[in-house]
Every structure is written in C-alpha cells, then in structure tokens.
Amino acid sequence: TSITVTVARAIELKHEASLIAGLAKETAAVYEKSGFALKPYDLKVMGKWLKYLEFKKHCYDTCAYVYYAEHLLKQEKVGVALAIIAEAEKTYKQSLDAGKAYAHADGVGLSAKPADHCFFRRLGTLVENTRRKLERENGMIFHQRVPTAAPSFDLKAKYGIAEPKTPEINFTPDPRWNDAYIGFNEKKILESITTRDARAKQHKEKTDRDAPVEPIPEKPIFHTDKDPKTDSGCVLS
C-alpha cells in the first residue's frame, strides 16, 4: 500500500528518525481503523483480514517506537528512550502473536506468512540492537533514570502523508439553466422516481443475501531465500 511505501522510502532515504517514527505511527493508526471497519462482519469471512490488519498495526507501532527511541537518543534523553524501547518489545511480541494467529484464522485470503517477511525479521533485530545501544549509552555516559511508564507518543508526520483539503464548490446555479427549468414536468419526475424505487425494491428482494462470498482470485507471491538489499527490507520499484 502507499502508506507502507511511504515509511519504507523514508527509511531508505535516511530521513530523520522523528519523521520515520511519525509516519510509522500514523500508518499503524490507518491499519487499526481498517480493522475496526471489518469487525462487524462475519469472522468466517473476514477473520484472516482482521488478524492481518492487527499484525500490521503492531508491526508499525513497533517501528514507530524504535525510531522514536532513536530520536530521543539524539536529544540525549536516554532514560525515556529506554522506556520507549520497552514498549517496542511489547508491540513486537503482539505482532508475533498476531502473525501466528493469522496462519490459523478463518476467512478469505492467501495463507501467507507475514512474520517471515524480511521487513518484519529485520524489525526484531532493530529492536534488540537499539535496546542494547541505549543500555550501553546510559550505562557509560548518561546514567539517567528509566521511567516506569513510557511517555505519550507526541510525534506527528510533518510531511509524507497528504492532508485532506476541502474542495471549493460553487452552489450558485448557472443562469443558462433558467430556461431549461421551464421545460421540466414535475409529475413525470415523480413518476420516474417512484418507478425506479419500485424496481430497486424488487431487485433487492430477489438478491440472495445468504449467498457465499466468492474468494477473489489472487496471484500467488513466491518467497525466495534472498532478502532485498535495502535498509527497510522492502522491495521498492
């Protein structure tokens, strides 16, 4: 997806850790909202997608915490960074559990192994290496106290995700329509609407709501033993 590519490109282009953290956190929020949208539906149909979205949400939460910790290290707030990296370890474990649950979940979708993806495997190594670096820096240089609770995540992506803009719409009718309005027959319009609604109702009654959902044909993705030679572990074209 485009939001995933945005994070991967930010990593590849070696942007500031604060920007990558903000992008990853907003990406996690998108996956979380997508999961909420699917929860009302039948788990026998959407179960796999729900677990996949849960996996991705925890995955990008982990990514956000890791780069947030890097950002705090740059600001010499190592104690707080250690509290943040502890949160990264929690969300990484949650993503592992969600990845395992995905493999056994009911629903439409391919039986992929998201936890085997290069990006995710590198993420676990990144969490471990970042924690060790922070512990080393704090033990040798800063000697800061580690908070018992991690602070709230206050980073926002300043760019990389398009902001919605309200379109400017002019509701003033074109004067050329004034002559056209005279030719309208209100009775025929009402009859047309009534007939259309009746036909729509008949069509709806004929529709079999209990018909099984046909799976969408998807092209299989063949995994290889060769990992992409990129910092993010993703293939970018």
Side-chain angles (χ1 to χ4, degrees):
T1 60
S2 59
I3 52 175
T4 304
V5 172
T6 302
V7 176
R9 285 188 61 83
I11 295 173
E12 293 299 323
L13 296 174
K14 302 186 186 303
H15 283 306
E16 290 290 333
S18 58
L19 174 63
I20 299 174
L23 287 170
K25 193 64 177 176
E26 292 187 15
T27 302
V30 171
Y31 280 112
E32 185 177 27
K33 289 178 182 177
S34 301
F36 286 148
L38 294 183
K39 279 190 175 180
Y41 297 97
D42 189 356
L43 288 177
K44 292 182 179 180
V45 179
M46 294 297 179
K48 269 192 179 299
W49 277 107
L50 275 170
K51 285 300 175 184
Y52 177 76
L53 293 171
E54 183 182 341
F55 167 80
K56 297 289 279 187
K57 187 263 181 187
H58 293 314
C59 183
Y60 281 97
D61 270 338
T62 304
C63 183
Y65 285 130
V66 169
Y67 282 96
Y68 189 21
E70 289 283 359
H71 171 66
L72 292 170
L73 173 60
K74 192 174 181 180
Q75 294 183 329
E76 298 186 354
K77 298 178 180 179
V78 186
V80 180
L82 281 166
I84 291 293
I85 208 66
E87 293 298 314
E89 291 175 330
K90 292 178 185 177
T91 53
Y92 185 74
K93 184 180 182 303
Q94 289 174 328
S95 59
L96 275 174
D97 294 339
K100 292 177 182 177
Y102 169 84
H104 304 288
D106 294 328
V108 179
L110 294 175
S111 297
K113 296 180 179 179
D116 290 343
H117 191 275
C118 180
F119 172 77
F120 183 72
R121 287 188 281 108
R122 289 188 183 181
L123 187 60
T125 304
L126 188 61
V127 172
E128 181 67 19
N129 290 344
T130 304
R131 181 183 60 79
R132 290 179 178 178
K133 178 170 63 175
L134 292 171
E135 289 175 345
R136 183 171 61 251
E137 293 286 330
N138 200 41
M140 296 178 64
I141 302 172
F142 296 100
H143 308 290
Q144 295 178 3
R145 185 180 65 84
V146 180
T148 54
S152 59
F153 197 101
D154 57 357
L155 291 179
K156 295 288 184 181
K158 295 182 180 179
Y159 66 91
I161 296 179
E163 295 182 359
K165 293 183 178 180
T166 305
E168 296 181 1
I169 302 175
N170 185 6
F171 291 98
T172 304
D174 193 307
R176 290 174 294 182
W177 280 100
N178 294 333
D179 295 334
Y181 289 146
I182 300 173
F184 279 107
N185 188 331
E186 295 86 352
K187 293 182 179 180
K188 288 186 177 181
I189 295 174
L190 182 60
E191 290 175 1
S192 175
I193 294 174
T194 305
T195 305
R196 183 187 62 192
D197 291 345
R199 289 177 180 174
K201 186 177 180 181
Q202 290 176 359
H203 178 73
K204 190 174 182 181
E205 290 174 352
K206 291 180 181 179
T207 303
D208 187 6
R209 294 184 179 181
D210 299 326
V213 178
E214 295 293 333
I216 300 174
E218 300 180 40
K219 292 184 179 180
I221 301 173
F222 299 100
H223 297 279
T224 65
D225 295 332
K226 295 182 179 180
D227 290 337
K229 295 180 180 180
T230 56
D231 292 336
S232 63
C234 299
V235 178
L236 299 175
S237 57

